[in-house]
Amino acid sequence: MIVIGEKDFHFIHKIMSKRFYCIFLCIFLISGCASVRHAVPESLLNNVRIFGMQDIRALSGIPSDSFKKDFIKLLEEEEKESSSFLIFKTSRTYSVLAISGGAANGAYGVGLLSGWSQSGTRPVFKVVTGISIGAIIAPFAFLGSKYDNKLKEICTRYSTKDILQIRIPFTDSFASARPLGHIIERYFDTKLLKEIALEYNKGRRLYVGTTNLDAQRLVIWDMGKIASIGDDKALKLFRKVILASASIPIAFPPVYLNVEVNDKTYDEMHVDGGISREVFFLYSVLQGFDKALKEKGIDAFRNKYAIYVIMNGYVDPVYREVPDKLSAIAERTVDTMIKAQGIGDLYQLYVFTKDGRGDFNLAYIPVTHVYKARELFDPFEMQELFDLGFKEAAGGYNWKKVPPGINDK
């Protein structure tokens, strides 16, 4: 293993920040040794257990009875609490925060959260979701403004050499995730999990997304429930899920999870959640939720929600003259595809809020910001992004009420 040097920064930047696969097609033409796997059969995907834990995750696109029952139980408890205080037919608005991927651009979202705290208007979020760098930010955002300084440290202090190391020979990736794993171990400790478990028991929810490469599906993890288990196995799984969500394929190796089904052991291959979604909520696993509420006698329209989406990246087109060479054309193409995917994810969230109960709010890096990073994780550029987000939010952020391309009337 060798430590990444200055000459490698541009090379690694292309791999990670753009998920730049095109120029690595030749890799797949070179035979290499592959480890023997025992992947979960498709028919058993919904029946796996990890360390004996149940109902801790859901597969996107497949209705989850456990997640649906959990949300119904939360609303039933809210109804009982209202009744005990003689509060009837009072509408509630729950705040939801969804944080996207974006690698070093996560410093922008962290600055925005900190500036939001400074403004005195940052709500206590009922639900927080995070993916990729958003998965690292989400647990601290979930716990509130007291962790703003720690988040700033995580997202502005570390340079590329602190996060990854190139490894030779290449096997399943170009770099080792060991440095990133050490950072995750440092910040995600027993104390943090206890605090998350405490909020989970108060009825708040924290979710992180990874991609199951075998299944080609986003896996949504109930991180509060994992934290509430409270043992060493839960801490280990919590850290592995965070690492998996931030592990961009080819740059970082996949994170393997040992699972069991019917007393048989299998393995799952998990990578960056951003491969499946740039940002997410739970509507794809809560199908039939309103019908179930009606059957319970709960008025769905009394429970409103405001979704705040932080996109750690550009959403508007950014003009740049592309050199007439294969690598530049491929990089620009993949960058454009990823941006289009992110906008598609925003549209899905926006449409979800159009049921008469939702309020859509969007923040993203303005096109006026000129990206000046000299490496993938450049502390100077990350500080610039943090300061930008902080300044915008401290003065009262002007949330976009619609995705790009729709007139905000």
Side-chain angles (χ1 to χ4, degrees):
M1 180 180 292
I2 60 174
V3 178
I4 185 170
E6 184 175 354
K7 292 182 180 179
D8 301 304
F9 285 150
H10 186 61
F11 172 75
I12 294 296
H13 181 274
K14 286 185 175 182
I15 300 173
M16 294 187 65
S17 64
K18 309 299 183 184
R19 299 186 183 92
F20 189 43
Y21 303 121
C22 298
I23 65 173
F24 300 111
L25 290 177
C26 59
I27 295 168
F28 299 101
L29 301 178
I30 303 173
S31 297
C33 296
S35 60
V36 177
R37 293 193 55 211
H38 193 201
V40 181
E42 183 178 6
S43 60
L44 300 179
L45 285 173
N46 268 335
N47 301 322
V48 304
R49 291 159 59 97
I50 303 174
F51 300 136
M53 303 176 195
Q54 287 184 312
D55 301 332
I56 59 171
R57 67 182 198 173
L59 294 176
S60 182
I62 300 176
S64 170
D65 287 338
S66 63
F67 275 41
K68 187 165 59 177
K69 288 176 182 177
D70 180 53
F71 270 77
I72 291 172
K73 181 181 177 182
L74 291 178
L75 292 181
E76 285 181 324
E77 290 174 353
E78 296 270 4
E79 293 277 316
K80 290 178 182 178
E81 184 177 337
S82 296
S83 298
S84 66
F85 285 97
L86 301 179
I87 301 173
F88 300 102
K89 296 184 179 180
T90 302
S91 67
R92 309 180 189 88
T93 299
Y94 299 109
S95 296
V96 176
L97 176 65
I99 311 172
S100 81
N105 288 341
Y108 172 78
V110 170
L112 191 145
L113 286 167
S114 186
W116 202 353
S117 298
Q118 180 74 18
S119 74
T121 60
R122 177 174 163 180
V124 175
F125 301 105
K126 185 73 171 179
V127 178
V128 177
T129 75
I131 214 155
S132 197
I133 185 62
I136 294 175
I137 298 171
F140 299 99
F142 178 74
L143 292 176
S145 58
K146 64 181 179 179
Y147 276 102
D148 284 352
N149 288 336
K150 185 156 288 189
L151 262 182
K152 180 181 179 182
E153 178 180 305
I154 294 172
C155 289
T156 62
R157 171 180 174 181
Y158 298 102
S159 62
T160 311
K161 63 181 175 59
D162 301 315
I163 294 172
L164 59 90
Q165 292 175 321
I166 292 178
R167 61 181 186 182
I168 298 176
F170 302 135
T171 52
D172 55 359
S173 67
F174 285 96
S176 166
R178 188 173 299 170
L180 176 59
H182 289 329
I183 292 174
I184 290 173
E185 289 176 4
R186 184 178 308 139
Y187 290 98
F188 293 88
D189 55 16
T190 302
K191 178 178 178 293
L192 187 81
L193 258 66
K194 286 182 178 179
E195 292 190 45
I196 291 171
L198 182 63
E199 296 304 313
Y200 172 82
N201 291 326
K202 292 179 182 178
R204 299 175 61 220
R205 294 295 180 262
L206 169 66
Y207 301 99
V208 160
T210 65
T211 297
N212 182 323
L213 268 188
D214 295 317
Q216 287 191 323
R217 287 186 182 273
L218 180 73
V219 181
I220 301 173
W221 298 84
D222 187 339
M223 304 300 277
K225 188 163 189 176
I226 294 172
S228 69
I229 295 170
D231 58 17
D232 288 340
K233 289 181 178 179
L235 176 60
K236 180 180 178 182
L237 178 60
F238 195 100
R239 288 169 170 170
K240 290 190 79 169
V241 171
I242 297 293
L243 178 61
S245 186
S247 293
I248 298 171
I250 299 179
F252 285 139
V255 173
Y256 289 95
L257 297 176
N258 292 323
V259 302
E260 58 183 14
V261 184
N262 301 328
D263 297 324
K264 292 184 179 180
T265 302
Y266 301 90
D267 64 77
E268 291 184 338
M269 180 187 288
H270 288 260
V271 298
D272 187 350
I275 301 302
S276 303
R277 295 283 191 281
E278 287 297 309
V279 66
F280 77 96
F281 191 54
L282 283 78
Y283 48 81
S284 69
V285 301
L286 293 178
Q287 298 170 40
F289 183 62
D290 285 351
K291 180 180 178 181
L293 286 180
K294 187 175 181 180
E295 292 172 352
K296 291 284 186 178
I298 299 174
D299 182 1
F301 282 87
R302 283 174 51 193
N303 301 290
K304 300 182 182 297
Y305 51 88
I307 294 182
Y308 296 91
V309 183
I310 298 178
M311 290 293 287
N312 292 304
Y314 295 98
V315 171
D316 296 315
V318 178
Y319 180 83
R320 189 179 78 219
E321 183 176 334
V322 181
D324 185 15
K325 60 181 181 178
L326 177 61
S327 60
I329 294 170
E331 178 182 356
R332 186 65 165 174
T333 299
V334 174
D335 184 31
T336 303
M337 290 171 63
I338 290 170
K339 181 180 290 186
Q341 174 190 319
I343 293 173
D345 294 336
L346 291 177
Y347 270 81
Q348 286 188 340
L349 281 173
Y350 176 71
V351 171
F352 173 68
T353 63
K354 297 297 101 181
D355 62 357
R357 290 177 288 165
D359 176 32
F360 181 84
N361 302 272
L362 172 63
Y364 50 83
I365 298 175
V367 72
T368 52
H369 175 75
V370 179
Y371 194 73
K372 300 181 290 291
R374 297 167 297 179
E375 56 176 291
L376 175 59
F377 292 94
D378 183 340
F380 294 100
E381 172 63 19
M382 291 187 291
Q383 185 64 54
E384 288 281 327
L385 285 168
F386 177 90
D387 292 342
L388 173 62
F390 184 91
K391 180 179 179 181
E392 288 182 333
Y397 190 80
N398 182 26
W399 293 92
K400 285 71 176 176
K401 306 302 292 184
V402 295
I406 298 179
N407 290 328
D408 187 4
K409 296 180 179 180

